[in-house]
Amino acid sequence: MRTTQAGKLFQGLPNEDPYAHLATFIEICNTVKIARVPDEAIRLNLFSFSLAGEAKRWLHSFKGNSLKTWEEVIEKFLKKYFPESKTVERKAAISSFPQFPDESLSEALERFIEKDSRPWVL
């Protein structure tokens, strides 16, 4: 699927954002409509083409049709590439970031995102 390949393939690298990848993938899949084929089937069949390297090997490590629903794929994908430890780490970074007395919340958030080079999903 050339449309998916035109976007950046997800490799499972630490600097990649799995939530952003899923959002882009779903956006692309939503442009594909096939009569009497559910959106879930399209996503399940095309997801492999949005991955490369370690992430593609990870997906192919599941035997046969062991991932039967799109929800299962999302759950396992996020558990692998956005584990609970990342959530805890990001919550701690947000909680400890100071907002200056004369700074609005949106200004503080902008400064926080600029300071931290990791991709953030808000």
Side-chain angles (χ1 to χ4, degrees):
M1 176 176 181
R2 291 191 186 275
T3 307
T4 302
Q5 291 181 347
K8 187 172 184 232
L9 299 178
F10 185 88
Q11 298 183 51
L13 300 174
N15 64 331
E16 292 178 301
D17 183 343
Y19 282 97
H21 178 74
L22 287 172
T24 300
F25 175 75
I26 290 169
E27 183 179 10
I28 291 168
C29 284
N30 286 344
T31 67
V32 177
K33 300 295 179 196
I34 303 170
R36 296 181 299 278
V37 177
D39 289 345
E40 179 168 321
I42 292 170
R43 291 172 185 168
L44 284 169
N45 284 299
L46 295 181
F47 190 59
S48 171
F49 296 102
S50 75
L51 306 176
E54 169 56 33
K56 187 167 239 169
R57 283 188 292 280
W58 165 81
L59 182 64
H60 288 238
S61 73
F62 292 95
K63 304 288 187 230
N65 290 334
S66 64
L67 298 177
K68 297 196 182 304
T69 68
W70 178 241
E71 288 75 26
E72 285 179 289
V73 172
I74 290 174
E75 178 187 337
K76 294 196 182 302
F77 180 73
L78 291 176
K79 188 173 183 177
K80 171 72 174 171
Y81 294 107
F82 202 89
E84 183 65 29
S85 60
K86 277 191 179 181
T87 302
V88 170
E89 175 188 321
R90 289 186 174 185
K91 283 181 179 180
I94 291 168
S95 297
S96 64
F97 191 79
Q99 179 181 358
F100 299 133
D102 61 340
E103 185 177 44
S104 71
L105 182 58
S106 61
E107 290 169 333
L109 178 60
E110 187 176 314
R111 187 170 53 83
F112 174 75
I113 291 171
E114 287 174 4
K115 175 186 176 287
D116 196 306
S117 62
R118 293 173 292 187
W120 287 88
V121 178
L122 301 173

